[in-house]
Amino acid sequence: MYSYAITERHENGRDVYIFVVDSETNPLESYIVKIEVGKGKIRASCSCKGFAVRGYCKHIKLSLKKLRIYRKV
């Protein structure tokens, strides 16, 4: 499973990052992760079923880890 950033926007005092994360089990499947950072808050969402059920998933965890390494968020 690998996460890579596809876009980064800075607007209205917040930063918005979009990541694509490849599926671990299906090489033809990917998930979109959106992370919004602003005023000390981080909001994240993912297109996977796990996020829809639990509100959090490993794809978000992986993308946040990458964001913290490269952007010091």
Side-chain angles (χ1 to χ4, degrees), residues 41-64:
K41 280 189 156 186
I42 297 176
R43 292 177 40 189
S45 61
C46 182
S47 63
C48 74
K49 293 176 190 173
F51 180 80
V53 172
R54 294 183 298 275
Y56 197 76
C57 65
K58 60 186 173 184
H59 311 111
I60 290 174
K61 183 177 178 180
L62 182 68
S63 298
L64 280 171

Side-chain angles (χ1 to χ4, degrees), residues 12-41:
N12 301 326
R14 65 188 171 115
D15 302 326
V16 179
Y17 303 92
I18 306 291
F19 290 85
V20 173
V21 181
D22 295 331
S23 171
E24 270 184 316
T25 56
N26 184 351
L28 301 176
E29 193 169 31
S30 311
Y31 305 105
I32 305 295
V33 175
K34 179 180 179 183
I35 300 173
E36 297 180 45
V37 181
K39 298 179 183 172
K41 280 189 156 186

